[in-house]
Amino acid sequence: MPKRRPAGKSPKSERAGTARAVTLGIDLGATKAVAGAVDAYGRVVATSDRVRHANDGPAGVLRAVVESARQCLDRTSARPRVVGLSVAAQVNPTTGTVEYAPNLRWRDEPVGPVLEDALGLPVRIVNDGRAATLAEWRYGAGAGAHDLFCLVLGTGVGGSAVVAGKLVEGATHAAGEVGHLTIVAGGRRCHCPNSGCFEAYVGGWAIADRAREAARSGAGPRPDDVEAITAEGVFAAGRRGEPGAVRLIRETEEYLCAGVVSIANAFNPEVLVIAGGLAAGQPGWVSAAATAVRTRCQPPAARARVIAAKFGEDAGMVGAAVWAREYR
Ligand SMILES: [Zn+2]
């Protein structure tokens, strides 16, 4: 099992002032990879460009990962001893295998060993939700919390729990996958084998699907316009006050609140951080979720502080660096 240091503590060598000690954290997404050199205080001291890939299989995608790492290293004199990779996938950190990555369409890919050969450094892989949790817990909105849950709202819905000062791993490294809590029995089909999942209502892909269905059932939009609908487009239409978008966003907020209340009751966190690009696009959701927790949770769980994440796009690289440095 991975070992970790107590929350909020830095290694002695780092506290002693070796400020140039960095860890390379890489965030691999469905369309691009970006690498950052992260110092002992969670600061990103150098980054690569966002290196795009065609999502055309492991060879091409991992070339983009290696390119991002090399770009970043070219931009700093600091030399990392270990590399962390955050990826939206079920991973086995012990073997470095990406077991299942639906957005990349990978199964059982030996990503860690391939990258170690290419970079000449140890590579440790972490699920993206867990990376965001580590960033927020160690340096962000939940720094120092003993019990924390970080909910990550993006194309999918992920998350991870810190319980009694320890990141919860689960038997197969998959604890905290609250996107697949059933919130509507017999409800919408999910990308997982279940239906009615939290993610099937609140994930970015699900918001787009629901908006497409609403558009098809109404009069007006051409079929190609319907196919081009995205969650970001729905949010933009909501800001313009378009009634259909406003209604769909409000419904989504209700699903979000249902999920957040369940999470707070189940995990009893001191702090519940709401992270991810989707949350950044709808800042009102944090206060709605906070009100729901305060008024609808069981009284002890209702004391959880519901707050917005501190890290934006850097969460994956910072969390991957924390994972690589501290969990082995
Ligand atoms: Zn699901």
Side-chain angles (χ1 to χ4, degrees):
M1 287 297 290
K3 295 192 181 94
R4 54 166 297 277
R5 280 183 282 277
K9 298 267 176 69
S10 300
K12 273 186 184 151
S13 61
E14 291 163 0
R15 285 204 302 270
T18 52
R20 299 300 291 174
V22 298
T23 306
L24 196 64
I26 307 176
D27 183 6
L28 172 59
T31 58
K32 51 193 175 296
V34 60
V38 181
D39 76 6
Y41 309 101
R43 296 176 301 210
V44 178
V45 299
T47 60
S48 71
D49 297 338
R50 294 185 178 271
V51 181
R52 298 195 74 81
H53 62 75
N55 198 353
D56 54 356
V61 172
L62 294 181
R63 264 198 304 279
V65 170
V66 171
E67 169 65 18
S68 73
R70 292 192 174 138
Q71 275 188 14
C72 182
L73 293 176
D74 282 347
R75 295 172 186 177
T76 173
S77 59
R79 283 291 162 260
R81 293 200 195 123
V82 63
V83 178
L85 178 77
S86 161
V87 57
Q90 300 300 312
V91 304
N92 183 332
T94 308
T95 60
T97 307
V98 170
E99 296 185 339
Y100 178 48
N103 291 334
L104 293 163
R105 300 183 297 280
W106 293 358
R107 273 189 187 272
D108 297 322
E109 289 296 335
V111 168
V114 169
L115 289 178
E116 289 189 347
D117 280 351
L119 297 172
L121 288 166
V123 174
R124 309 193 198 290
I125 302 185
V126 62
N127 163 271
D128 62 341
R130 191 151 293 150
T133 302
L134 282 169
E136 295 297 338
W137 177 39
R138 197 48 66 96
Y139 302 114
H146 204 53
D147 290 272
L148 168 147
F149 197 94
C150 181
L151 173 66
V152 186
L153 304 176
T155 303
V157 175
S160 205
V162 172
V163 175
K166 195 168 173 18
L167 186 76
V168 178
E169 267 290 291
T172 55
H173 315 286
E177 287 281 6
V178 292
H180 306 285
L181 284 173
T182 304
I183 61 166
V184 180
R188 299 178 65 83
R189 284 291 313 162
C190 189
H191 289 171
C192 80
N194 193 24
S195 59
C197 292
F198 189 23
E199 176 174 310
Y201 292 84
V202 173
W205 65 262
I207 292 171
D209 275 2
R210 289 168 50 226
R212 283 186 204 111
E213 286 168 22
R216 283 192 200 101
S217 69
R222 296 184 314 244
D224 53 339
D225 292 342
V226 171
E227 286 312 309
I229 289 174
T230 62
E232 291 73 21
V234 173
F235 290 172
R239 285 191 288 275
R240 292 194 298 272
E242 292 180 22
V246 169
R247 188 166 55 246
L248 194 129
I249 293 166
R250 194 169 297 139
E251 287 167 5
T252 308
E253 184 178 294
E254 273 307 305
Y255 292 122
L256 172 69
C257 289
V260 168
V261 165
S262 299
I263 292 165
N265 278 328
F267 289 93
N268 186 201
E270 169 189 350
V271 178
L272 201 161
V273 179
I274 299 188
L278 216 59
Q282 257 336 282
W285 281 358
V286 175
S287 56
T291 301
V293 165
R294 198 172 58 247
T295 58
R296 289 158 55 183
C297 279
Q298 299 217 89
R303 293 179 205 144
R305 282 192 301 126
V306 180
I307 53 179
K310 172 184 163 189
F311 287 98
E313 291 190 325
D314 289 352
M317 65 172 85
V318 172
V322 174
W323 175 262
R325 198 174 62 215
E326 302 190 0
Y327 294 75
R328 51 193 72 166

